[in-house]
Amino acid sequence: MKNGRVNFDYLETRDPEQRELALFNMLPSLLARTIREAPGWASHLKGLDPSSVTSREALAKLPVMRKFSLKDMQALTPPLGGFPTSDLKSLNRVFMSPGPIFEPEGHGTDWWRSARALFSAGFRKGDVVMNTFAYHLTPGAWIVDAGARALGCTVIPAGPENTEQHVEVIAHLQPTAYVGVPNYLKILLDKAADAGKDTSSLQRALVSGGALLPSLRQEYLDRKIFVFQVYATADAGMIAYESEALEGMIVDEGVLLEIVRPGTGDPLPPGEVGEVLVTTFNRDYPMIRLATGDLSAVLPGMSPCGRTNMRIRGWMGRANQVVKVKGFLIHAQHVAKIAKRFPQLGRLRLVVGRDGTQDTMVLKAEAIHYEQQLAEKIAKALEKITQVVGAVQLVPPKTLPNDGIVVDDERRDHV
């Protein structure tokens, strides 16, 4: 790492209460402008009084935006569903992610807000950055490209293919930093070692889009490369990033992040694993309670690095849990409906298995007391909601795993 490290700006060390106050002071005007300028959001937030959304409790009452809704609205109202606050001709770029979902990019420096995460990873003016994220159609490479150039770095737009050519580029141009998926850096280093090419110029890396196992991070550290993770999406840009403390991921200053019960918009207490929802303050393409489909949990306290924003545990799996049982699709929203009907229950977990050639379904539910009558009522509600008959097993509180999984398919061969 480079010496003399400081924070990206004063926002990172604000008093948490001041940050919360500042964000919710800005939110009503953002909502008002979004409803006025973006027809898609106006339809989604119909009837909302923006001036009333001045707290997390008020924010939690707003409807959740799911990615399939973005896709459907874009198909219904092309090209972008009415979600940007300006028309297509006024944008800088438009990308396409799997779905397909089309994502716009507006004009301006560091539009995706990635410079803060890069700075936290040690990137500085004068660094030469090997960018191996894809530049074709998807925005991944462009997100970090913009942030690196905003910091004064030189960017090599390498993309994710042509490993042999990449090794030649590293040996010749001697980049100081790498961005890309975690394991591809190892592929490059091993390939270069086999070819006798020098890669000692590489000192730091920012990675995303895959698992950075502790053993892999240590291997990079043994090679004197400091590696940090970042959490970003094509719809919301930068969401959270690691610092030198390596204790969770720090939420970006331009994001309001919530952890909710999968399949709902109901906030969970700190420490509980749930789905990540984000609200972003992007004037061109705002996101209001966007469900990322990712699982995480809030970490208590502040980072030892001195940054004071909320921390999350990082990516912990997918919240979009869908299985097919006896020909019917069962998903997290079904379990969420059970939770709403029976608020006295704790965690719920719908376990799908197989007995011989037959699918089985058991809803495990945390309850303070075992009551046969309660179990029977839950079973009837389960059948009505899912159209599938299932058993109910009441278990003591705090016995189900805190992993965010509410639909667990234990069948050896998924249908």
Side-chain angles (χ1 to χ4, degrees):
M1 301 291 290
K2 291 186 175 181
N3 294 324
R5 187 180 182 88
V6 294
N7 293 103
F8 181 72
D9 58 27
Y10 76 94
L11 298 176
E12 295 178 354
T13 55
R14 284 182 290 179
D15 179 274
E17 291 184 3
Q18 292 180 349
R19 176 183 292 108
E20 196 83 347
L21 181 63
L23 290 174
F24 280 99
N25 279 342
M26 292 190 296
L27 186 57
S29 60
L30 172 78
L31 290 171
R33 181 178 184 274
T34 299
I35 292 170
R36 184 175 65 250
E37 304 292 341
W41 282 114
S43 175
H44 181 71
L45 300 172
K46 187 176 181 179
L48 174 68
D49 175 10
S51 65
S52 68
V53 189
T54 57
S55 67
R56 287 189 178 268
E57 292 75 19
L59 178 63
K61 296 177 182 177
L62 272 56
V64 173
M65 172 57 70
R66 301 198 176 274
K67 293 197 177 187
F68 66 78
S69 297
L70 285 173
K71 175 180 177 293
D72 292 345
M73 285 291 288
Q74 288 182 355
L76 184 65
T77 312
L80 299 173
F83 290 105
T85 57
S86 56
D87 61 25
L88 184 67
K89 295 179 181 179
S90 301
L91 297 169
N92 189 32
R93 296 185 180 94
V94 178
F95 302 96
M96 184 180 75
S97 294
I101 298 176
F102 296 89
E103 297 100 3
E105 177 191 55
H107 295 273
T109 303
D110 193 27
W111 190 84
W112 305 89
R113 308 180 320 281
S114 67
R116 185 183 306 279
L118 289 160
F119 190 91
S120 181
F123 288 59
R124 297 291 188 273
K125 181 178 180 179
D127 272 317
V128 178
V129 181
M130 187 82 170
N131 188 352
T132 65
F133 283 121
Y135 278 87
H136 178 64
L137 280 179
T138 57
W142 299 94
I143 291 174
V144 289
D145 187 298
R149 288 186 293 108
L151 291 176
C153 303
T154 299
V155 178
I156 304 170
E161 299 176 351
N162 301 316
T163 302
E164 291 82 2
Q165 189 178 44
H166 287 175
V167 168
E168 293 293 336
V169 169
I170 293 171
H172 185 76
L173 294 180
Q174 298 192 341
T176 55
Y178 164 94
V179 293
V181 297
N183 65 323
Y184 188 54
L185 176 57
K186 175 175 168 55
I187 293 173
L188 289 174
L189 295 173
D190 291 347
K191 193 74 162 180
D194 292 342
K197 299 292 185 179
D198 181 21
T199 59
S200 61
S201 62
L202 290 168
Q203 302 170 26
R204 61 194 61 85
L206 188 75
V207 300
S208 188
L212 177 61
L213 301 175
S215 59
L216 184 58
R217 194 198 291 266
Q218 185 59 49
E219 181 173 342
Y220 290 143
L221 190 59
D222 293 341
R223 287 169 143 164
K224 296 181 170 53
I225 300 175
F226 293 87
V227 180
F228 296 85
Q229 298 179 94
V230 69
Y231 174 32
T233 72
D235 317 277
M238 203 58 54
I239 296 175
Y241 58 94
E242 284 186 323
S243 73
E244 65 269 26
L246 297 180
E247 292 188 12
M249 304 186 82
I250 301 164
V251 175
D252 182 74
E253 295 296 326
V255 171
L256 270 170
L257 185 144
E258 304 168 85
I259 302 293
V260 304
R261 191 179 305 280
T264 77
D266 302 332
L268 290 171
E272 286 289 311
V273 178
E275 184 173 14
V276 176
L277 262 58
V278 292
T279 296
T280 63
F281 292 80
N282 186 314
R283 288 177 60 83
D284 299 311
Y285 194 54
M287 282 292 138
I288 313 299
R289 303 200 83 203
L290 174 71
T292 64
D294 298 320
L295 293 174
S296 193
V298 173
L299 286 174
M302 292 181 289
S303 173
C305 72
R307 294 173 178 84
T308 59
N309 208 344
M310 177 191 294
R311 295 180 300 158
I312 59 174
R313 289 174 59 184
W315 189 83
M316 299 178 66
R318 294 293 295 169
N320 299 336
Q321 302 154 28
V322 181
V323 298
K324 186 180 286 187
V325 183
K326 299 180 179 179
F328 291 89
L329 287 176
I330 311 295
H331 47 75
Q333 284 88 336
H334 287 134
V335 181
K337 289 180 180 179
I338 296 289
K340 281 189 178 296
R341 292 195 185 186
F342 300 93
Q344 70 269 43
L345 299 176
R347 294 179 187 139
L348 302 176
R349 194 180 190 95
L350 188 66
V351 180
V352 178
R354 183 170 282 130
D355 183 6
T357 60
Q358 295 295 314
D359 292 331
T360 62
M361 192 169 75
V362 178
L363 179 65
K364 297 183 178 181
E366 292 180 349
I368 296 176
H369 304 292
Y370 178 84
E371 299 175 8
Q372 182 61 33
Q373 188 177 19
L374 174 61
E376 291 172 357
K377 288 181 179 179
I378 296 172
K380 289 180 181 179
L382 178 65
E383 181 180 358
K384 185 175 181 179
I385 290 170
T386 66
Q387 305 300 306
V388 178
V389 176
V392 172
Q393 180 184 351
L394 299 181
V395 300
K398 306 297 183 182
T399 55
L400 293 178
N402 179 24
D403 56 10
I405 295 176
V406 294
V407 179
D408 186 7
D409 194 345
E410 294 185 343
R411 294 171 295 187
R412 183 166 300 176
D413 299 311
H414 290 196
V415 291

